[in-house]
Amino acid sequence: GLSQIGSESDWRNANTESFKSVFTAGNGYYLLYEDAQQKQENQLKAVRDFILQEVDYTILDPIVETGWDTVLMEAEDAGIPVILVDRQMVLENDELYTCWVGSNFREEGRTAGRWLEDYLKSQGRENEEIRMVTLQGTPESSAQIGRTSGFADVLSEHENWNMLDKRNGEFTQAKGQEVMGDFLKLYEDIDVVVSENDNMTFGAIEAIEQAGRSCGPGGDIIVISFDAVSEAAFTYMKEGRLHADMECNPFLAPMVDTIIKRLERNETVEKIQYVEERCFDAFMDLDAVMEERKY
Ligand code: GYE
């Protein structure tokens, strides 16, 4: 049984596709797929349905970090291992899940901060006042918490970086565009937009351009994004409308497949498994990157 969060973004769709293409009958699986439509209560219901249907494994991508203890105890009582993917949980007892695979979101946030630090330096702007806004993802999700706090780690080292506002853009293009439109009305002279996923970024770029402003190298606003989805994010960077993008790998299903095979052989699995990720920017040879990149 797989409890997926929804279909809010290109990243999410690539992630769903990853599971559907790996967990096939041909590979020896029967996948029960549940789309929670952005509601934790739907995920709780899905896990309980999986228990009733006596699945062998539950794969769960938790929309937010808290509120899972009871349902995981129910899965444990039923003897069903729970594998967490992508986002993490804060639990009283970490024994309640078998293992987790996904991204180091805090590291992604720090990488974004370090990228900005280097870039401003290269432009001779390291001592200027830098006015920034953040488009945040789903509140209380690991991806939001990690990216916000990782960026804040670097922000705290720069007195001249001024974070004017942080607002929820729900990880969607429509909301990203709306919130960016509000920011542009509220604040003059925004230098940097930190956008916690690509779809909000695409919406933000629309809003910036509609307001008669420009972004990307040569433009007046620096936009930093997360996910680096193929090919849209690369196209924006190649067009010079997006500065930098922190990679977030959506293809987690092969790792889960390996984990399940190990568990079937009664072998141990690592509790926490991070996927490797990079940072891309508009100044790289992006065609070469896309050729060697697997997704
Ligand atoms: O960055 C965003 C998605 O949890 C890593 O959720 C995931 C995030 C991803 O909607 O695009």
Side-chain angles (χ1 to χ4, degrees), residues 5-13 15 38 61-63 85-88 103 105 108 137-138 141-144 147 170-172 196-200 226-229 246 248-250 252 277:
I5 290 171
S7 53
E8 71 280 6
S9 66
D10 290 4
W11 187 98
R12 183 67 52 206
N13 295 339
N15 179 250
Q38 309 299 318
D61 188 335
I63 181 162
V85 293
D86 168 29
R87 301 183 185 170
Q88 289 184 295
S103 306
F105 299 120
E108 289 176 359
T138 306
S141 68
S142 295
Q144 178 273 310
R147 289 168 185 167
E170 295 171 1
F171 279 137
T172 67
E196 291 178 356
N197 90 337
D198 278 344
N199 291 83
M200 293 191 295
F226 295 85
D227 283 352
V229 290
M246 309 309 121
C248 184
N249 187 343
L252 305 176
E277 291 166 345

mmCIF file of all heavy atoms in Angstrom, residues 5-13 15 38 61-63 85-88 103 105 108 137-138 141-144 147 170-172 196-200 226-229 246 248-250 252 277, ligand 1:
data_model
loop_
_atom_site.group_PDB
_atom_site.id
_atom_site.type_symbol
_atom_site.label_atom_id
_atom_site.label_comp_id
_atom_site.label_asym_id
_atom_site.label_seq_id
_atom_site.Cartn_x
_atom_site.Cartn_y
_atom_site.Cartn_z
ATOM 1 N N ILE A 5 0.819 11.859 -1.049
ATOM 2 C CA ILE A 5 0.258 13.121 -0.541
ATOM 3 C C ILE A 5 -0.779 13.720 -1.485
ATOM 4 O O ILE A 5 -1.833 14.184 -1.061
ATOM 5 C CB ILE A 5 1.407 14.130 -0.308
ATOM 6 C CG1 ILE A 5 2.259 13.677 0.879
ATOM 7 C CG2 ILE A 5 0.853 15.546 -0.096
ATOM 8 C CD1 ILE A 5 3.535 14.473 1.072
ATOM 9 N N GLY A 6 -0.476 13.738 -2.782
ATOM 10 C CA GLY A 6 -1.384 14.391 -3.737
ATOM 11 C C GLY A 6 -0.679 14.584 -5.052
ATOM 12 O O GLY A 6 0.164 13.756 -5.443
ATOM 13 N N SER A 7 -1.016 15.656 -5.738
ATOM 14 C CA SER A 7 -0.351 15.924 -7.024
ATOM 15 C C SER A 7 -0.111 17.424 -7.175
ATOM 16 O O SER A 7 -0.426 18.021 -8.190
ATOM 17 C CB SER A 7 -1.193 15.386 -8.174
ATOM 18 O OG SER A 7 -2.506 15.885 -8.080
ATOM 19 N N GLU A 8 0.452 18.018 -6.092
ATOM 20 C CA GLU A 8 0.627 19.471 -6.056
ATOM 21 C C GLU A 8 1.712 20.001 -6.983
ATOM 22 O O GLU A 8 1.699 21.178 -7.324
ATOM 23 C CB GLU A 8 0.903 19.915 -4.602
ATOM 24 C CG GLU A 8 2.279 19.547 -4.023
ATOM 25 C CD GLU A 8 2.388 18.100 -3.539
ATOM 26 O OE1 GLU A 8 1.444 17.323 -3.737
ATOM 27 O OE2 GLU A 8 3.446 17.744 -2.982
ATOM 28 N N SER A 9 2.651 19.136 -7.394
ATOM 29 C CA SER A 9 3.817 19.672 -8.108
ATOM 30 C C SER A 9 4.369 18.681 -9.131
ATOM 31 O O SER A 9 4.028 17.495 -9.112
ATOM 32 C CB SER A 9 4.926 19.987 -7.095
ATOM 33 O OG SER A 9 5.388 18.774 -6.516
ATOM 34 N N ASP A 10 5.241 19.177 -9.986
ATOM 35 C CA ASP A 10 5.930 18.295 -10.946
ATOM 36 C C ASP A 10 6.767 17.256 -10.206
ATOM 37 O O ASP A 10 6.879 16.113 -10.625
ATOM 38 C CB ASP A 10 6.860 19.119 -11.853
ATOM 39 C CG ASP A 10 6.081 19.987 -12.832
ATOM 40 O OD1 ASP A 10 4.841 20.019 -12.763
ATOM 41 O OD2 ASP A 10 6.730 20.648 -13.672
ATOM 42 N N TRP A 11 7.395 17.701 -9.105
ATOM 43 C CA TRP A 11 8.190 16.761 -8.302
ATOM 44 C C TRP A 11 7.309 15.610 -7.858
ATOM 45 O O TRP A 11 7.668 14.439 -7.982
ATOM 46 C CB TRP A 11 8.774 17.476 -7.067
ATOM 47 C CG TRP A 11 9.724 16.623 -6.294
ATOM 48 C CD1 TRP A 11 11.091 16.637 -6.386
ATOM 49 C CD2 TRP A 11 9.401 15.613 -5.329
ATOM 50 N NE1 TRP A 11 11.634 15.697 -5.538
ATOM 51 C CE2 TRP A 11 10.620 15.056 -4.882
ATOM 52 C CE3 TRP A 11 8.218 15.118 -4.797
ATOM 53 C CZ2 TRP A 11 10.681 14.034 -3.930
ATOM 54 C CZ3 TRP A 11 8.269 14.086 -3.858
ATOM 55 C CH2 TRP A 11 9.493 13.559 -3.431
ATOM 56 N N ARG A 12 6.141 15.956 -7.331
ATOM 57 C CA ARG A 12 5.232 14.933 -6.804
ATOM 58 C C ARG A 12 4.811 13.971 -7.902
ATOM 59 O O ARG A 12 4.760 12.758 -7.695
ATOM 60 C CB ARG A 12 4.004 15.635 -6.188
ATOM 61 C CG ARG A 12 2.989 14.721 -5.532
ATOM 62 C CD ARG A 12 3.500 14.032 -4.285
ATOM 63 N NE ARG A 12 4.058 14.959 -3.335
ATOM 64 C CZ ARG A 12 4.995 14.634 -2.432
ATOM 65 N NH1 ARG A 12 5.459 13.404 -2.357
ATOM 66 N NH2 ARG A 12 5.477 15.538 -1.600
ATOM 67 N N ASN A 13 4.500 14.503 -9.077
ATOM 68 C CA ASN A 13 4.059 13.636 -10.169
ATOM 69 C C ASN A 13 5.190 12.694 -10.592
ATOM 70 O O ASN A 13 4.944 11.519 -10.888
ATOM 71 C CB ASN A 13 3.560 14.472 -11.344
ATOM 72 C CG ASN A 13 2.308 15.267 -10.944
ATOM 73 O OD1 ASN A 13 1.618 14.910 -9.987
ATOM 74 N ND2 ASN A 13 2.028 16.342 -11.662
ATOM 75 N N ASN A 15 7.487 11.621 -8.642
ATOM 76 C CA ASN A 15 7.617 10.672 -7.534
ATOM 77 C C ASN A 15 6.555 9.563 -7.637
ATOM 78 O O ASN A 15 6.857 8.369 -7.484
ATOM 79 C CB ASN A 15 7.490 11.468 -6.219
ATOM 80 C CG ASN A 15 7.571 10.619 -4.976
ATOM 81 O OD1 ASN A 15 6.586 10.433 -4.278
ATOM 82 N ND2 ASN A 15 8.753 10.093 -4.694
ATOM 83 N N GLN A 38 -3.826 16.060 -0.351
ATOM 84 C CA GLN A 38 -3.296 17.071 0.594
ATOM 85 C C GLN A 38 -3.921 17.009 1.987
ATOM 86 O O GLN A 38 -3.848 17.982 2.739
ATOM 87 C CB GLN A 38 -3.460 18.505 0.058
ATOM 88 C CG GLN A 38 -2.944 18.734 -1.338
ATOM 89 C CD GLN A 38 -1.459 18.470 -1.472
ATOM 90 O OE1 GLN A 38 -0.679 18.842 -0.605
ATOM 91 N NE2 GLN A 38 -1.059 17.815 -2.538
ATOM 92 N N ASP A 61 4.215 8.608 2.655
ATOM 93 C CA ASP A 61 4.885 9.906 2.512
ATOM 94 C C ASP A 61 4.086 10.903 3.351
ATOM 95 O O ASP A 61 3.055 11.408 2.911
ATOM 96 C CB ASP A 61 4.902 10.315 1.030
ATOM 97 C CG ASP A 61 5.752 11.556 0.797
ATOM 98 O OD1 ASP A 61 5.925 12.357 1.740
ATOM 99 O OD2 ASP A 61 6.231 11.728 -0.338
ATOM 100 N N PRO A 62 4.509 11.176 4.571
ATOM 101 C CA PRO A 62 3.683 11.956 5.500
ATOM 102 C C PRO A 62 3.624 13.440 5.143
ATOM 103 O O PRO A 62 4.663 14.099 5.093
ATOM 104 C CB PRO A 62 4.370 11.744 6.845
ATOM 105 C CG PRO A 62 5.788 11.436 6.516
ATOM 106 C CD PRO A 62 5.799 10.777 5.169
ATOM 107 N N ILE A 63 2.438 13.946 4.937
ATOM 108 C CA ILE A 63 2.295 15.353 4.520
ATOM 109 C C ILE A 63 2.905 16.305 5.529
ATOM 110 O O ILE A 63 3.578 17.263 5.153
ATOM 111 C CB ILE A 63 0.823 15.699 4.194
ATOM 112 C CG1 ILE A 63 0.710 17.155 3.734
ATOM 113 C CG2 ILE A 63 -0.128 15.415 5.352
ATOM 114 C CD1 ILE A 63 -0.554 17.496 2.985
ATOM 115 N N VAL A 85 8.794 7.535 3.081
ATOM 116 C CA VAL A 85 9.520 8.090 1.939
ATOM 117 C C VAL A 85 9.343 9.605 1.886
ATOM 118 O O VAL A 85 8.318 10.130 2.327
ATOM 119 C CB VAL A 85 9.041 7.480 0.595
ATOM 120 C CG1 VAL A 85 9.407 6.001 0.519
ATOM 121 C CG2 VAL A 85 7.548 7.662 0.372
ATOM 122 N N ASP A 86 10.360 10.274 1.365
ATOM 123 C CA ASP A 86 10.353 11.714 1.123
ATOM 124 C C ASP A 86 10.319 12.511 2.430
ATOM 125 O O ASP A 86 11.356 12.910 2.922
ATOM 126 C CB ASP A 86 9.211 12.068 0.146
ATOM 127 C CG ASP A 86 8.917 13.551 0.025
ATOM 128 O OD1 ASP A 86 9.846 14.349 0.214
ATOM 129 O OD2 ASP A 86 7.756 13.905 -0.274
ATOM 130 N N ARG A 87 9.146 12.757 2.983
ATOM 131 C CA ARG A 87 9.072 13.570 4.204
ATOM 132 C C ARG A 87 9.192 12.689 5.445
ATOM 133 O O ARG A 87 8.870 11.512 5.406
ATOM 134 C CB ARG A 87 7.764 14.354 4.211
ATOM 135 C CG ARG A 87 7.662 15.268 2.987
ATOM 136 C CD ARG A 87 6.425 16.119 2.997
ATOM 137 N NE ARG A 87 6.324 16.875 1.756
ATOM 138 C CZ ARG A 87 5.253 17.569 1.395
ATOM 139 N NH1 ARG A 87 4.185 17.613 2.180
ATOM 140 N NH2 ARG A 87 5.247 18.242 0.249
ATOM 141 N N GLN A 88 9.609 13.314 6.536
ATOM 142 C CA GLN A 88 9.837 12.557 7.766
ATOM 143 C C GLN A 88 8.759 12.803 8.808
ATOM 144 O O GLN A 88 7.847 13.610 8.605
ATOM 145 C CB GLN A 88 11.209 12.905 8.334
ATOM 146 C CG GLN A 88 12.323 12.329 7.484
ATOM 147 C CD GLN A 88 13.693 12.572 8.074
ATOM 148 O OE1 GLN A 88 14.130 13.700 8.189
ATOM 149 N NE2 GLN A 88 14.378 11.516 8.431
ATOM 150 N N SER A 103 15.282 13.118 0.983
ATOM 151 C CA SER A 103 16.287 14.167 0.828
ATOM 152 C C SER A 103 16.626 14.822 2.158
ATOM 153 O O SER A 103 15.801 14.850 3.074
ATOM 154 C CB SER A 103 15.740 15.272 -0.083
ATOM 155 O OG SER A 103 15.303 14.731 -1.288
ATOM 156 N N PHE A 105 16.594 17.959 3.559
ATOM 157 C CA PHE A 105 16.006 19.261 3.216
ATOM 158 C C PHE A 105 16.761 20.422 3.856
ATOM 159 O O PHE A 105 16.886 21.491 3.284
ATOM 160 C CB PHE A 105 14.533 19.299 3.624
ATOM 161 C CG PHE A 105 13.701 18.252 2.933
ATOM 162 C CD1 PHE A 105 13.026 17.282 3.653
ATOM 163 C CD2 PHE A 105 13.608 18.230 1.552
ATOM 164 C CE1 PHE A 105 12.268 16.313 3.019
ATOM 165 C CE2 PHE A 105 12.851 17.257 0.898
ATOM 166 C CZ PHE A 105 12.184 16.303 1.641
ATOM 167 N N GLU A 108 19.663 21.089 1.789
ATOM 168 C CA GLU A 108 19.262 21.801 0.566
ATOM 169 C C GLU A 108 19.139 23.299 0.852
ATOM 170 O O GLU A 108 19.569 24.142 0.060
ATOM 171 C CB GLU A 108 17.918 21.276 0.049
ATOM 172 C CG GLU A 108 17.964 19.871 -0.538
ATOM 173 C CD GLU A 108 16.588 19.344 -0.944
ATOM 174 O OE1 GLU A 108 15.566 20.055 -0.766
ATOM 175 O OE2 GLU A 108 16.524 18.218 -1.434
ATOM 176 N N GLY A 137 6.719 26.220 1.358
ATOM 177 C CA GLY A 137 5.881 25.073 1.006
ATOM 178 C C GLY A 137 4.883 24.775 2.108
ATOM 179 O O GLY A 137 4.794 25.496 3.104
ATOM 180 N N THR A 138 4.138 23.696 1.933
ATOM 181 C CA THR A 138 3.114 23.252 2.901
ATOM 182 C C THR A 138 3.623 23.398 4.337
ATOM 183 O O THR A 138 4.624 22.780 4.709
ATOM 184 C CB THR A 138 2.772 21.774 2.632
ATOM 185 O OG1 THR A 138 2.401 21.657 1.260
ATOM 186 C CG2 THR A 138 1.656 21.291 3.542
ATOM 187 N N SER A 141 5.483 20.705 6.827
ATOM 188 C CA SER A 141 6.009 19.537 6.099
ATOM 189 C C SER A 141 7.524 19.544 6.250
ATOM 190 O O SER A 141 8.136 20.607 6.399
ATOM 191 C CB SER A 141 5.638 19.620 4.618
ATOM 192 O OG SER A 141 6.319 20.680 3.973
ATOM 193 N N SER A 142 8.130 18.364 6.192
ATOM 194 C CA SER A 142 9.592 18.294 6.329
ATOM 195 C C SER A 142 10.294 19.163 5.304
ATOM 196 O O SER A 142 11.306 19.793 5.603
ATOM 197 C CB SER A 142 10.089 16.864 6.096
ATOM 198 O OG SER A 142 9.620 16.028 7.075
ATOM 199 N N ALA A 143 9.777 19.159 4.070
ATOM 200 C CA ALA A 143 10.439 19.924 3.014
ATOM 201 C C ALA A 143 10.415 21.414 3.351
ATOM 202 O O ALA A 143 11.403 22.130 3.143
ATOM 203 C CB ALA A 143 9.774 19.654 1.667
ATOM 204 N N GLN A 144 9.305 21.897 3.885
ATOM 205 C CA GLN A 144 9.217 23.309 4.280
ATOM 206 C C GLN A 144 10.126 23.586 5.474
ATOM 207 O O GLN A 144 10.937 24.526 5.446
ATOM 208 C CB GLN A 144 7.749 23.672 4.606
ATOM 209 C CG GLN A 144 7.524 25.112 5.076
ATOM 210 C CD GLN A 144 7.710 25.272 6.573
ATOM 211 O OE1 GLN A 144 7.139 24.518 7.352
ATOM 212 N NE2 GLN A 144 8.498 26.250 6.984
ATOM 213 N N ARG A 147 13.978 23.266 4.473
ATOM 214 C CA ARG A 147 14.488 24.299 3.562
ATOM 215 C C ARG A 147 14.501 25.661 4.239
ATOM 216 O O ARG A 147 15.443 26.436 4.079
ATOM 217 C CB ARG A 147 13.657 24.306 2.272
ATOM 218 C CG ARG A 147 13.933 23.075 1.423
ATOM 219 C CD ARG A 147 12.967 22.869 0.287
ATOM 220 N NE ARG A 147 13.276 21.591 -0.377
ATOM 221 C CZ ARG A 147 12.485 20.984 -1.255
ATOM 222 N NH1 ARG A 147 11.323 21.520 -1.592
ATOM 223 N NH2 ARG A 147 12.836 19.839 -1.793
ATOM 224 N N GLU A 170 1.996 26.965 -0.668
ATOM 225 C CA GLU A 170 1.375 25.626 -0.791
ATOM 226 C C GLU A 170 2.051 24.691 -1.783
ATOM 227 O O GLU A 170 1.456 23.700 -2.195
ATOM 228 C CB GLU A 170 -0.121 25.763 -1.156
ATOM 229 C CG GLU A 170 -0.926 26.429 -0.063
ATOM 230 C CD GLU A 170 -2.362 26.774 -0.478
ATOM 231 O OE1 GLU A 170 -2.739 26.470 -1.627
ATOM 232 O OE2 GLU A 170 -3.077 27.342 0.367
ATOM 233 N N PHE A 171 3.261 24.994 -2.195
ATOM 234 C CA PHE A 171 3.984 24.158 -3.163
ATOM 235 C C PHE A 171 3.314 24.141 -4.543
ATOM 236 O O PHE A 171 3.619 23.278 -5.366
ATOM 237 C CB PHE A 171 4.148 22.705 -2.680
ATOM 238 C CG PHE A 171 5.286 22.471 -1.699
ATOM 239 C CD1 PHE A 171 5.104 21.657 -0.577
ATOM 240 C CD2 PHE A 171 6.537 23.016 -1.904
ATOM 241 C CE1 PHE A 171 6.145 21.404 0.317
ATOM 242 C CE2 PHE A 171 7.585 22.768 -1.022
ATOM 243 C CZ PHE A 171 7.376 21.966 0.092
ATOM 244 N N THR A 172 2.364 25.055 -4.802
ATOM 245 C CA THR A 172 1.695 25.028 -6.118
ATOM 246 C C THR A 172 2.019 26.283 -6.926
ATOM 247 O O THR A 172 2.325 27.343 -6.374
ATOM 248 C CB THR A 172 0.155 24.944 -5.994
ATOM 249 O OG1 THR A 172 -0.348 26.151 -5.412
ATOM 250 C CG2 THR A 172 -0.281 23.749 -5.167
ATOM 251 N N GLU A 196 10.490 27.668 -2.209
ATOM 252 C CA GLU A 196 10.793 26.331 -1.697
ATOM 253 C C GLU A 196 10.386 25.169 -2.605
ATOM 254 O O GLU A 196 10.556 24.014 -2.225
ATOM 255 C CB GLU A 196 10.248 26.181 -0.275
ATOM 256 C CG GLU A 196 11.030 27.045 0.717
ATOM 257 C CD GLU A 196 10.512 26.992 2.149
ATOM 258 O OE1 GLU A 196 9.478 26.344 2.387
ATOM 259 O OE2 GLU A 196 11.156 27.604 3.027
ATOM 260 N N ASN A 197 9.822 25.452 -3.784
ATOM 261 C CA ASN A 197 9.780 24.408 -4.827
ATOM 262 C C ASN A 197 9.618 25.035 -6.202
ATOM 263 O O ASN A 197 9.311 26.229 -6.343
ATOM 264 C CB ASN A 197 8.714 23.329 -4.550
ATOM 265 C CG ASN A 197 7.360 23.649 -5.144
ATOM 266 O OD1 ASN A 197 7.018 24.804 -5.401
ATOM 267 N ND2 ASN A 197 6.550 22.623 -5.367
ATOM 268 N N ASP A 198 9.834 24.211 -7.227
ATOM 269 C CA ASP A 198 9.844 24.733 -8.592
ATOM 270 C C ASP A 198 8.491 25.269 -9.036
ATOM 271 O O ASP A 198 8.428 26.276 -9.737
ATOM 272 C CB ASP A 198 10.282 23.641 -9.576
ATOM 273 C CG ASP A 198 11.797 23.504 -9.646
ATOM 274 O OD1 ASP A 198 12.508 24.422 -9.196
ATOM 275 O OD2 ASP A 198 12.249 22.472 -10.169
ATOM 276 N N ASN A 199 7.409 24.591 -8.686
ATOM 277 C CA ASN A 199 6.126 25.071 -9.210
ATOM 278 C C ASN A 199 5.772 26.447 -8.660
ATOM 279 O O ASN A 199 5.276 27.303 -9.390
ATOM 280 C CB ASN A 199 5.025 24.038 -8.960
ATOM 281 C CG ASN A 199 5.265 22.816 -9.841
ATOM 282 O OD1 ASN A 199 6.049 21.955 -9.474
ATOM 283 N ND2 ASN A 199 4.679 22.790 -11.026
ATOM 284 N N MET A 200 6.062 26.695 -7.380
ATOM 285 C CA MET A 200 5.866 28.057 -6.853
ATOM 286 C C MET A 200 6.772 29.027 -7.601
ATOM 287 O O MET A 200 6.386 30.162 -7.890
ATOM 288 C CB MET A 200 6.166 28.116 -5.348
ATOM 289 C CG MET A 200 5.198 27.334 -4.495
ATOM 290 S SD MET A 200 5.381 27.690 -2.728
ATOM 291 C CE MET A 200 7.015 27.056 -2.395
ATOM 292 N N PHE A 226 14.000 25.155 -5.512
ATOM 293 C CA PHE A 226 14.297 23.795 -5.061
ATOM 294 C C PHE A 226 13.509 22.800 -5.909
ATOM 295 O O PHE A 226 12.377 23.083 -6.299
ATOM 296 C CB PHE A 226 13.870 23.605 -3.596
ATOM 297 C CG PHE A 226 14.638 24.449 -2.627
ATOM 298 C CD1 PHE A 226 14.241 25.759 -2.375
ATOM 299 C CD2 PHE A 226 15.757 23.949 -1.959
ATOM 300 C CE1 PHE A 226 14.943 26.553 -1.480
ATOM 301 C CE2 PHE A 226 16.462 24.739 -1.063
ATOM 302 C CZ PHE A 226 16.049 26.045 -0.821
ATOM 303 N N ASP A 227 14.088 21.664 -6.145
ATOM 304 C CA ASP A 227 13.566 20.493 -6.886
ATOM 305 C C ASP A 227 14.407 20.243 -8.133
ATOM 306 O O ASP A 227 14.805 19.130 -8.365
ATOM 307 C CB ASP A 227 12.094 20.608 -7.339
ATOM 308 C CG ASP A 227 11.082 20.383 -6.221
ATOM 309 O OD1 ASP A 227 11.501 19.985 -5.105
ATOM 310 O OD2 ASP A 227 9.882 20.615 -6.449
ATOM 311 N N ALA A 228 14.597 21.281 -8.970
ATOM 312 C CA ALA A 228 15.297 21.100 -10.257
ATOM 313 C C ALA A 228 14.618 20.030 -11.099
ATOM 314 O O ALA A 228 15.236 19.052 -11.527
ATOM 315 C CB ALA A 228 16.778 20.784 -10.045
ATOM 316 N N VAL A 229 13.316 20.213 -11.319
ATOM 317 C CA VAL A 229 12.574 19.223 -12.102
ATOM 318 C C VAL A 229 12.951 19.320 -13.579
ATOM 319 O O VAL A 229 13.190 20.391 -14.117
ATOM 320 C CB VAL A 229 11.038 19.379 -11.942
ATOM 321 C CG1 VAL A 229 10.592 18.977 -10.548
ATOM 322 C CG2 VAL A 229 10.560 20.773 -12.300
ATOM 323 N N MET A 246 18.158 23.948 -6.379
ATOM 324 C CA MET A 246 18.724 22.879 -5.558
ATOM 325 C C MET A 246 18.007 21.589 -5.922
ATOM 326 O O MET A 246 16.782 21.487 -5.789
ATOM 327 C CB MET A 246 18.520 23.140 -4.059
ATOM 328 C CG MET A 246 18.959 24.507 -3.567
ATOM 329 S SD MET A 246 20.621 24.941 -4.055
ATOM 330 C CE MET A 246 20.269 26.442 -4.992
ATOM 331 N N CYS A 248 16.322 18.018 -5.948
ATOM 332 C CA CYS A 248 15.636 17.137 -5.004
ATOM 333 C C CYS A 248 15.206 15.928 -5.822
ATOM 334 O O CYS A 248 14.438 16.053 -6.771
ATOM 335 C CB CYS A 248 14.437 17.847 -4.389
ATOM 336 S SG CYS A 248 13.610 16.872 -3.126
ATOM 337 N N ASN A 249 15.713 14.767 -5.472
ATOM 338 C CA ASN A 249 15.516 13.579 -6.304
ATOM 339 C C ASN A 249 14.166 12.904 -5.997
ATOM 340 O O ASN A 249 13.969 12.413 -4.899
ATOM 341 C CB ASN A 249 16.672 12.613 -6.024
ATOM 342 C CG ASN A 249 16.662 11.423 -6.937
ATOM 343 O OD1 ASN A 249 15.654 11.122 -7.578
ATOM 344 N ND2 ASN A 249 17.779 10.731 -6.995
ATOM 345 N N PRO A 250 13.252 12.860 -6.987
ATOM 346 C CA PRO A 250 11.938 12.251 -6.724
ATOM 347 C C PRO A 250 11.908 10.735 -6.917
ATOM 348 O O PRO A 250 10.924 10.083 -6.574
ATOM 349 C CB PRO A 250 11.037 12.928 -7.766
ATOM 350 C CG PRO A 250 11.943 13.239 -8.916
ATOM 351 C CD PRO A 250 13.323 13.455 -8.345
ATOM 352 N N LEU A 252 12.443 7.712 -5.742
ATOM 353 C CA LEU A 252 12.735 6.979 -4.510
ATOM 354 C C LEU A 252 12.316 5.513 -4.580
ATOM 355 O O LEU A 252 12.764 4.697 -3.776
ATOM 356 C CB LEU A 252 12.027 7.666 -3.333
ATOM 357 C CG LEU A 252 12.356 9.162 -3.155
ATOM 358 C CD1 LEU A 252 11.529 9.759 -2.036
ATOM 359 C CD2 LEU A 252 13.849 9.351 -2.874
ATOM 360 N N GLU A 277 22.322 14.701 -3.824
ATOM 361 C CA GLU A 277 21.758 15.824 -4.573
ATOM 362 C C GLU A 277 22.790 16.892 -4.857
ATOM 363 O O GLU A 277 23.767 17.028 -4.139
ATOM 364 C CB GLU A 277 20.580 16.403 -3.785
ATOM 365 C CG GLU A 277 19.439 15.434 -3.777
ATOM 366 C CD GLU A 277 18.351 15.724 -2.778
ATOM 367 O OE1 GLU A 277 18.538 16.519 -1.852
ATOM 368 O OE2 GLU A 277 17.293 15.122 -2.947
HETATM 369 O O1 GYE B 1 9.941 19.676 -3.117
HETATM 370 C C1 GYE B 1 7.658 19.746 -3.660
HETATM 371 C C2 GYE B 1 6.587 18.791 -3.334
HETATM 372 O O2 GYE B 1 8.301 16.765 -0.202
HETATM 373 C C3 GYE B 1 10.291 17.006 -1.441
HETATM 374 O O3 GYE B 1 6.910 18.318 -2.047
HETATM 375 C C4 GYE B 1 8.816 17.086 -1.438
HETATM 376 C C5 GYE B 1 8.280 18.420 -1.879
HETATM 377 C C6 GYE B 1 8.801 18.923 -3.212
HETATM 378 O O4 GYE B 1 5.361 19.179 -3.563
HETATM 379 O O5 GYE B 1 7.683 20.097 -5.009
#
